[in-house]
Amino acid sequence: GAVVSQHPSWVICKSGTSVKIECRSLDFQATTMFWYRQFPKQSLMLMATSNEGSKATYEQGVEKDKFLINHASLTLSTLTVTSAHPEDSSFYICSARDRGLTYEQYFGPGTRLTVT
Amino acid sequence: SQQGEEDPQALSIQEGENATMNCSYKTSINNLQWYRQNSGRGLVHLILIRSNEREKHSGRLRVTLDTSKKSSSLLITASRAADTASYFCAPNDYKLSFGAGTTVTVRA
């Protein structure tokens, strides 16, 4: 149990285009999902917290108009990187908190974004 | 949220040996979690230890927690090549923050 999927697993896009990444909890309901970004050889940096049915809360320094987050259901959150630039190239990982458990978070396999 | 600081930054061991890494944090916690990340993959939840627990086991993993010293340790016994990964600790629960991690390399 407690499986989180991400789609796509990797994507290459041209500079200026937008890319949508999906995060799904497959066998549990997640009222809260988190989005992280990881640059090569660095740790994960929390970008935003996504709550089902409400606006996402962003960490300091993360542009909310650039990284659009939608958490429309208890099993799906999406991250859209708008007007992507090469510096947005990174590994994006989501995690989900099982509403039935207090603390455990489960992570998706990540999405590798390359902007050319 | 606070992040843990893992030590050492890197660890290289022979297959079959034990690997120990430590985590320190600054403020009191309700629980602490350990995660593993294989290269280019997402994080795998390994174990959660609550503040009223001192030690917890899961397979070849042993985690200790000393709340008085604000530290935790993760021991991997009888290491295997598949244990090669980065390991992260995450104090507390709601928003997880991650330090640089400990990169473990298990040599055949």
Side-chain angles (χ1 to χ4, degrees), chain A residues 32 34 36 38 42-46 49 51 57 59 91 93 97 102-110 112, chain B residues 1 3 30-31 33 35 37 40-45 48 50 88 92-101:
Chain A
T32 304
F34 302 88
Y36 296 82
Q38 185 177 33
Q42 294 187 24
S43 189
L44 282 77
M45 297 300 295
L46 179 65
T49 303
N51 295 295
T57 54
E59 296 299 301
F91 193 52
I93 305 175
R97 173 189 297 276
T102 309
Y103 301 120
E104 282 82 357
Q105 280 190 35
Y106 299 94
F107 284 77
R112 175 78 56 194
Chain B
S1 61
Q3 68 181 42
N30 294 318
N31 64 78
Q33 302 182 62
Y35 289 86
Q37 185 180 32
R41 309 292 295 273
L43 271 68
V44 173
H45 183 269
L48 179 150
R50 301 182 192 282
F88 300 91
N92 254 344
D93 53 334
Y94 187 64
K95 290 200 299 187
L96 301 182
S97 293
F98 296 93

Side-chain angles (χ1 to χ4, degrees), chain B residues 53-98:
Chain B
E53 297 175 308
R54 291 295 167 258
E55 188 170 311
K56 201 162 181 180
H57 296 254
S58 177
R60 294 183 294 112
L61 305 180
R62 172 177 164 253
V63 167
T64 64
L65 180 64
D66 187 333
T67 52
S68 66
K69 294 182 179 177
K70 294 186 173 56
S71 67
S72 175
S73 69
L74 170 65
L75 167 68
I76 306 172
T77 60
S79 62
R80 305 168 181 168
D83 295 327
T84 294
S86 292
Y87 292 82
F88 300 91
C89 67
N92 254 344
D93 53 334
Y94 187 64
K95 290 200 299 187
L96 301 182
S97 293
F98 296 93

